[in-house]
Amino acid sequence: MTAPSFAPRRSALTRLSFAVALALGAAGAQAQSLVELYEAARGYDTTLQSARAQYDASLAKADQAKAGLRPQAGLGAGANWTNSRNDVTDTGRTSNSQNVTLSASQPLYRPVNRYNDEQGQLSVEIARAQLEAAEQDLMVRTAQAYFDVLAAQDTLTFVQAQKTAVAEQLAAAKRNFEVGTSTVTDSREAQARYDLVLAQEIAASNDLLVKKLALDQLVGRSGASPKPLAAPVNLPAVQPASAEAWVEQALTQHPAVRQADKAFEIAEVEVQKAQAGHKPTLDLVGQYQVARGPNSNFPTAGNVRTNNASVGLQFNLPLYAGNAIENRVREALALVEKSRADRETALRNISQAIRSAYFGVVSGTSQVKALEAAEASSQSALDANKLGYQVGVRINIDVLNAQSQLFQTKRDLAVARYNVLVGQLRLKQAGGVLKADDLQPVNTLLAR
């Protein structure tokens, strides 16, 4: 029987493998831990930068609101030139005048300004919660991209190991056919399985490249190389071990809850601010002016200098504004109800997200245990099928199927472990308690 030709397939596969090697090597870059790549992402991710800029803008806007409670001062100056002529006497006169005025005011009673300041401080709290949520989201996105690369690497490794095993089985089938102990069907089945594994290897190599590009884009590095999990893998348990405990914790600490609470408070203050439109205002005002110009009593005496200083109170009381204030109050009251409904929606969504994340982690942990048992069983089944094939009680397809099942189980187990680790971070994010320190326990599971 003629040996199968794999030259064209290997040529294409060699080019793709070389590209994968370049991506993995990246100028000999050393593998990085999850914490290292997260720190790199913090300085590069534009979503987080946007949240930081929004927080800085909110701080500046809050300071703008404080200006309405602080003194105001201004300096003004003017100069005039006048030329007058009397047609009766045929005489003319030219004069000029200058003045410099310093004015200042201090609000004494302006309730609207005080409410603006209060809303400004609440807006800062909202921006702070948004920044915290953006940081938590970046942690999860980094962990997801990190373990996506590891999963893609594992998939490629398992496919390549399966290809080696299938190639050995193909060679054994060929030898057995040549000596007459097996049929040509065994060789063709092994050849078909080998061709399938080659296609899977190409797909796995491409998927690894895509996953690595996504990680590089996130952390701002070329050729980021995640460290794999150390063996044996001992996944941490979920604490607290109750979905309701997570929900109770989130309803007071989650950034989205804090945002909804502050938005509701802002809406309530807006009602008070609208009602304050009926209230009077009182300011302390002062002015000092130095003027130089002609004396109206003695025009021929030339320019004289006068100094004027004044201090007083300025009172203003709105009487009628065309029902604008009443309608503004009605608008603000409606927005309070909207904020209350939005807050309730946020609470319900958070509760649902936490329960889904919690049961997802619990289910994933159980799946890991089941796959660990399945891996041992699949290995035993493969050994038994190989032995049965050697003694003639099993055919080649039985061995190929057992090999495929073993490597698929290994891949599923690796992916399940990664999903549990990312799921635990997502659970903390859903509960609003995810911190940078929570990446350290995951880091300890990585190879040194």
Side-chain angles (χ1 to χ4, degrees):
M1 178 178 179
T2 304
S5 174
F6 307 128
R9 302 188 189 96
R10 285 176 178 170
S11 177
L13 189 59
T14 300
R15 291 193 296 270
L16 188 56
S17 299
F18 179 71
V20 174
L22 286 179
L24 291 174
Q30 187 177 4
Q32 300 92 29
S33 68
L34 177 59
V35 171
E36 289 173 333
L37 291 181
Y38 168 66
E39 290 300 327
R42 288 192 70 215
Y44 184 77
D45 184 66
T46 52
T47 301
L48 182 59
Q49 292 173 9
S50 175
R52 286 175 183 156
Q54 181 60 55
Y55 177 66
D56 293 339
S58 296
L59 288 175
K61 189 171 183 180
D63 287 338
Q64 293 177 40
K66 284 186 178 298
L69 303 175
R70 294 169 177 166
Q72 308 289 321
L75 180 64
N80 293 290
W81 179 82
T82 304
N83 184 6
S84 60
R85 186 170 187 83
N86 192 320
D87 291 338
V88 177
T89 60
D90 196 23
T91 60
R93 184 166 63 88
T94 300
S95 63
N96 59 75
S97 61
Q98 304 85 31
N99 66 83
V100 177
T101 304
L102 176 65
S103 58
S105 65
Q106 169 62 59
L108 297 180
Y109 181 71
R110 282 187 175 267
V112 172
N113 292 6
R114 179 166 55 84
Y115 293 136
N116 284 335
D117 177 53
E118 188 175 346
Q119 288 180 325
Q121 297 305 315
L122 293 172
S123 297
V124 170
E125 294 300 320
I126 290 178
R128 183 179 291 114
Q130 291 172 339
L131 177 58
E132 185 178 330
E135 290 175 341
Q136 293 183 7
D137 179 65
L138 179 59
M139 292 179 214
V140 173
R141 286 190 289 124
T142 304
Q144 185 67 67
Y146 186 97
F147 289 114
D148 279 349
V149 172
L150 290 183
Q153 287 176 347
D154 288 343
T155 298
L156 179 59
T157 299
F158 294 143
V159 168
Q160 290 173 338
Q162 185 177 3
K163 183 183 73 170
T164 301
V166 171
E168 293 174 354
Q169 198 65 25
L170 174 59
K174 176 178 172 295
R175 288 193 302 269
N176 292 339
F177 174 70
E178 289 175 348
V179 298
T181 58
S182 67
T183 65
V184 70
T185 304
D186 285 349
S187 297
R188 290 175 178 173
E189 287 174 345
Q191 180 66 63
R193 187 62 58 91
Y194 188 87
D195 292 341
L196 176 61
V197 172
L198 280 179
Q200 292 173 345
E201 184 179 19
I202 294 173
S205 298
N206 181 70
D207 184 59
L208 177 56
L209 282 174
V210 172
K211 294 298 193 298
K212 286 189 67 64
L213 288 174
L215 180 61
D216 290 348
Q217 169 122 9
L218 180 61
V219 303
R221 289 187 179 184
S222 178
S225 180
K227 291 182 178 180
L229 291 178
V233 181
N234 296 315
L235 299 178
V238 180
Q239 293 296 333
S242 166
E244 298 309 315
W246 281 96
V247 171
E248 183 178 353
Q249 180 177 245
L251 295 185
T252 58
Q253 300 184 32
H254 199 287
V257 174
R258 300 207 307 271
Q259 291 180 54
D261 288 341
K262 299 307 176 183
F264 180 71
E265 292 180 34
I266 287 176
E268 289 187 318
V269 174
E270 187 65 26
V271 174
Q272 297 174 312
K273 187 169 73 172
Q275 293 171 339
H278 290 295
K279 297 180 180 179
T281 61
L282 182 64
D283 299 327
L284 175 64
V285 296
Q287 180 175 288
Y288 182 77
Q289 183 183 64
V290 178
R292 185 177 182 275
N295 191 325
S296 58
N297 296 325
F298 303 97
T300 60
N303 290 346
V304 296
R305 172 175 170 172
T306 59
N307 297 339
N308 297 310
S310 63
V311 177
L313 297 175
Q314 185 171 323
F315 176 83
N316 182 50
L317 177 63
L319 296 179
Y320 181 67
N323 291 330
I325 297 175
E326 290 80 0
N327 288 313
R328 196 174 301 127
V329 171
R330 280 197 289 269
E331 177 191 7
L333 289 172
L335 291 176
V336 167
E337 293 305 314
K338 178 183 181 300
S339 297
R340 182 181 285 110
D342 290 343
R343 181 181 182 278
E344 182 61 28
T345 299
L347 294 177
R348 295 176 184 178
N349 290 340
I350 289 171
S351 298
Q352 180 180 357
I354 289 175
R355 291 185 174 92
S356 297
Y358 177 81
F359 291 120
V361 172
V362 172
S363 174
T365 303
S366 300
Q367 186 181 22
V368 167
K369 294 179 181 179
L371 287 171
E372 288 173 343
E375 181 185 25
S377 300
S378 297
Q379 183 65 58
S380 299
L382 176 59
D383 295 339
N385 275 282
K386 283 183 176 180
L387 180 60
Y389 181 69
Q390 292 173 359
V391 299
V393 297
R394 290 293 184 188
I395 60 175
N396 195 42
I397 192 63
D398 296 328
V399 177
L400 295 173
N401 288 338
Q403 287 175 342
S404 178
Q405 178 179 330
L406 174 61
F407 290 116
Q408 182 64 38
T409 302
K410 286 179 176 291
R411 179 193 176 278
D412 291 345
L413 175 57
V415 172
R417 285 169 174 162
Y418 300 146
N419 288 341
V420 168
L421 292 174
V422 176
Q424 290 180 342
L425 296 178
R426 290 190 183 278
L427 175 58
K428 292 182 178 180
Q429 179 193 24
V433 296
L434 182 61
K435 306 294 182 185
D437 292 341
D438 293 322
L439 299 180
Q440 287 293 347
V442 180
N443 236 38
T444 59
L445 301 176
L446 304 177
R448 301 299 178 187

